[in-house]
Amino acid sequence: MVNNRGSYQRNLFSSRNRNSSFLSVVLYVMLLFVLSISIFIIYSKDILEEDEKSIPLLRVEKSKSGQQKDDKLWEAPRNHRLRPCSKPTSKYKATSVGNHYITVRSNGGLNQMRTGIADMVAVARIMNATLVIPQLDKRSFWQDSSTFSDVFDELHFVNTLQQDVVIVKELPKELESVPRARKHFTSWSGGSYYEEMRQLWKDYQIIHVAKSDSRLANNDLPLDIQRLRCRALYHALRFAPSIERLGKKLVERLRFRAKRYIALHLRYEKDMLSFTGCTYGLTDTESKELRVMRENMNHWKIKNINSTEQRIGGFCPLTPKEVGVFLQALGYPPSTLIYIAAGEVYGGDAHLSELKSLFPNIVFKEMLATQEELKTFSNHASQSAALDYIISIESDVFIPSHSGNMARTVEGHRRYIGHRKTITPDRKGLVELFDKLEDGKLGLSSLSRLVKKLHQNRYGAPRRREGAPPGIKGRARLRLEESFYQNPLPECICNSEDAGR
């Protein structure tokens, strides 16, 4: 019995030893497996980290290349260290109070009135007259009832020019019923003309000027008179505080939407199309409506206009579709933020959609401001246009679809404050290219190359103001010269050495 028990214990011990050995082997194998897996993971992690380090290098290079290309679309032309110089020269003398007065009825839209008022400041200086705050145009196409102080900061206007011209709000009471000379001063007149006009003071104490636009020549005026025009337009004619505040808010809201934006002066409005007789891309009904409007406008002298000839000659505003193709050819991406600095687009979405299909990120002031903010601007075209002006001046790129008063004035102002990028479409050249594209004679890549080449010198870089085209003589030459307010170089844009001469 004892022997059997001992045999049982030996067998049990032997079994336990075998089980323990088997368990040890299993644990050893598992340990080796875990160790191998750990080494593999660590090694793989190092490999992945090395790969990740190399991948971003490729991305950075691509990003830099894309960023450089993108920046070139937005960068301003070199200004060669030129700067505004509208201060008077050392020979300039402060004005003195006199007893002769000039009253003015401004005419046209906002910017036609602004440049006209700047001219009248200079005319008052030449004629030794006190200038009465001008009346704004209330009878033009827009039927705007705004007064001077509704649109401009009147006190700032008077104070800024106090050394140049005496400006009063209204005529003295004792002179209100005094007979006055009513004059339509000759367009684009020089200083000698207005010196002759001083003869009127012998018979009259007041001269009333019925039209203010383009009353001064673009060139051949004394330096101090030219600089006075710049002080009047770029410094004295500041917009009313309420307009300035909202304008700055809208610029901030645009900057919140995108880092950079284009201000597009899309002059595809009913009055412009009717006045120019441009009907390309319009329906027969729309064309007839514009023709009837032109015929009914008494002060529009030309009634019968060949639309095809106008377009081929480059006299028509670009259509929304043409603007879209133009921007695309220049290289701007579809995501570009575009602010439409204009009134109501003729035909509404039916025509605007052709631009939106290429550039959907389009905004109007009505999309940036609340109804409450815009309430005071309703039915006041000049005040509304002032908002567009502020946003256009502050834009990264300004592009006008037609060379009207706003286009020229904004371009000149942007040149004055540092030659900010302004792309002026060569409409005549573009129409030729667009027609070839439409006829299948030109591909998109070739169009892009040709458009860029056509506009390589049309980005607002510094240059001297241009004269009339060759062969033009007589007074027609004065009308065809580049506007002083479109390019005030060299008189109001100079380097430091020329500033005080």
Side-chain angles (χ1 to χ4, degrees):
M1 185 71 178
V2 172
N3 291 336
N4 287 338
R5 184 182 296 166
S7 176
Y8 173 75
Q9 288 176 342
R10 284 193 298 273
N11 290 337
L12 179 62
F13 180 77
S14 176
S15 174
R16 284 176 177 172
N17 282 341
R18 285 195 300 271
N19 289 339
S20 176
S21 298
F22 177 75
L23 184 61
S24 296
V25 170
V26 170
L27 288 173
Y28 179 71
V29 170
M30 288 180 67
L31 182 63
L32 285 175
F33 179 74
V34 170
L35 183 63
S36 299
I37 291 295
S38 299
I39 292 171
F40 176 76
I41 290 172
I42 291 170
Y43 179 70
S44 298
K45 183 173 179 289
D46 289 341
I47 292 173
L48 288 170
E49 285 179 348
E50 289 300 316
D51 288 343
E52 286 177 355
K53 286 178 183 176
S54 63
I55 290 171
L57 285 176
L58 293 174
R59 288 175 180 167
V60 167
E61 288 303 315
K62 183 178 179 182
S63 176
K64 281 183 178 178
S65 174
Q67 186 66 41
Q68 288 172 355
K69 185 178 179 181
D70 187 54
D71 287 343
K72 195 170 183 180
L73 289 169
W74 299 94
E75 66 183 8
R78 290 182 58 195
N79 64 14
H80 302 284
R81 302 180 71 179
L82 295 171
R83 63 181 185 83
C85 51
S86 59
K87 292 182 178 179
T89 68
S90 56
K91 300 176 183 178
Y92 194 74
K93 295 180 181 179
T95 190
S96 57
V97 178
N99 61 348
H100 299 126
Y101 294 83
I102 289 180
T103 61
V104 178
R105 183 183 295 277
S106 302
N107 62 295
L110 173 69
N111 290 288
Q112 190 172 337
M113 289 193 291
R114 288 178 71 240
T115 55
I117 291 168
D119 276 1
M120 287 300 104
V121 168
V123 168
R125 170 79 188 192
I126 297 170
M127 295 187 67
N128 297 325
T130 294
L131 179 66
V132 179
I133 290 289
Q135 295 176 308
L136 301 190
D137 192 339
K138 297 178 175 61
R139 299 178 297 183
S140 65
F141 172 80
W142 299 276
Q143 298 291 300
D144 189 346
S145 62
S146 298
T147 64
F148 188 94
S149 59
D150 290 330
V151 181
F152 304 108
D153 187 334
E154 188 173 301
L155 184 60
H156 178 78
F157 177 68
V158 173
N159 291 339
T160 302
L161 298 171
Q162 61 184 341
Q163 297 297 313
D164 305 295
V165 177
V166 176
I167 302 174
V168 296
K169 188 175 181 66
E170 54 192 16
L171 286 170
K173 293 290 184 183
E174 64 272 17
L175 295 181
E176 287 181 352
S177 59
V178 170
R180 60 194 71 181
R182 298 182 181 274
K183 287 294 297 181
H184 281 79
F185 287 138
T186 304
S187 301
W188 299 289
S189 294
S192 59
Y193 171 85
Y194 288 103
E195 288 172 1
E196 291 177 10
M197 289 295 106
R198 291 178 189 169
Q199 300 296 320
L200 291 170
W201 298 136
K202 294 178 180 178
D203 300 314
Y204 298 95
Q205 200 171 349
I206 305 168
I207 297 175
H208 177 70
V209 182
K211 292 182 70 175
S212 61
D213 67 314
S214 305
R215 298 302 108 177
L216 269 178
N218 295 304
N219 301 299
D220 302 322
L221 287 167
L223 177 60
D224 272 319
I225 292 299
Q226 296 288 58
R227 289 188 175 179
L228 174 56
R229 297 169 85 182
C230 290
R231 288 198 297 281
L233 186 64
Y234 304 131
H235 299 279
L237 278 172
R238 189 168 68 188
F239 294 118
S242 59
I243 296 175
E244 291 281 347
R245 281 194 299 270
L246 183 55
K248 289 173 182 177
K249 280 184 182 179
L250 299 188
V251 171
E252 289 172 1
R253 291 169 191 174
L254 280 164
R255 297 286 182 208
F256 182 78
R257 290 186 177 220
K259 181 181 177 182
R260 294 173 287 208
Y261 71 92
I262 291 174
L264 172 62
H265 184 45
L266 188 60
R267 196 68 169 93
Y268 202 73
E269 297 159 293
K270 187 175 182 179
D271 66 305
M272 174 56 69
L273 295 175
S274 178
F275 178 75
T276 56
C278 297
T279 60
Y280 176 78
L282 300 181
T283 65
D284 291 341
T285 301
E286 289 171 332
S287 299
K288 181 180 178 181
E289 181 183 32
L290 297 179
R291 178 177 54 78
V292 170
M293 177 182 173
R294 184 169 62 254
E295 290 173 350
N296 292 334
M297 286 288 183
N298 295 327
H299 57 286
W300 290 357
K301 297 178 182 178
I302 302 175
K303 303 299 181 181
N304 296 317
I305 301 176
N306 186 311
S307 178
T308 302
E309 290 180 0
Q310 284 284 92
R311 182 171 178 270
I312 292 174
F315 302 116
C316 288
L318 296 178
T319 69
K321 179 181 179 180
E322 289 171 339
V323 170
V325 175
F326 174 57
L327 292 174
Q328 189 180 59
L330 289 175
Y332 287 97
S335 60
T336 300
L337 178 62
I338 300 175
Y339 174 79
I340 304 297
E344 184 179 353
V345 175
Y346 187 61
D349 282 338
H351 296 300
L352 191 60
S353 61
E354 296 176 313
L355 172 58
K356 283 183 175 180
S357 65
L358 297 175
F359 293 90
N361 201 8
I362 284 176
V363 293
F364 293 81
K365 67 175 74 65
E366 292 78 9
M367 299 166 64
L368 297 171
T370 66
Q371 289 184 349
E372 183 66 24
E373 287 173 324
L374 291 177
K375 185 170 65 175
T376 57
F377 294 84
S378 178
N379 299 320
H380 295 292
S382 293
Q383 296 180 52
S384 184
L387 292 176
D388 287 338
Y389 188 90
I390 292 170
I391 295 170
S392 296
I393 291 297
E394 295 299 325
S395 66
D396 299 276
V397 178
F398 174 68
I399 302 176
S401 67
H402 191 262
S403 56
N405 288 299
M406 178 168 173
R408 290 191 292 268
T409 310
V410 170
E411 179 184 347
H413 199 156
R414 288 171 68 87
R415 286 180 179 278
Y416 180 74
I417 57 178
H419 289 88
R420 296 180 180 180
K421 191 166 191 174
T422 300
I423 305 176
T424 309
D426 182 341
R427 296 188 304 278
K428 184 176 181 179
L430 284 174
V431 164
E432 185 178 344
L433 294 177
F434 291 155
D435 287 347
K436 287 182 179 179
L437 180 70
E438 193 76 21
D439 294 339
K441 298 177 181 178
L442 197 64
L444 287 175
S445 59
S446 296
L447 175 73
S448 180
R449 176 177 54 81
L450 292 171
V451 166
K452 289 174 182 177
K453 183 178 180 181
L454 187 65
H455 291 84
Q456 60 188 356
N457 295 318
R458 301 178 74 91
Y459 291 99
R463 60 172 177 77
R464 294 179 71 91
R465 193 166 56 254
E466 296 176 353
I472 305 296
K473 298 180 180 180
R475 292 199 59 80
R477 174 182 58 83
L478 302 174
R479 183 173 59 85
L480 295 175
E481 291 174 339
E482 184 176 22
S483 168
F484 172 77
Y485 296 113
Q486 184 175 358
N487 183 9
L489 191 155
E491 298 93 339
C492 299
I493 301 173
C494 56
N495 56 41
S496 55
E497 288 78 14
D498 295 332
R501 64 185 176 88

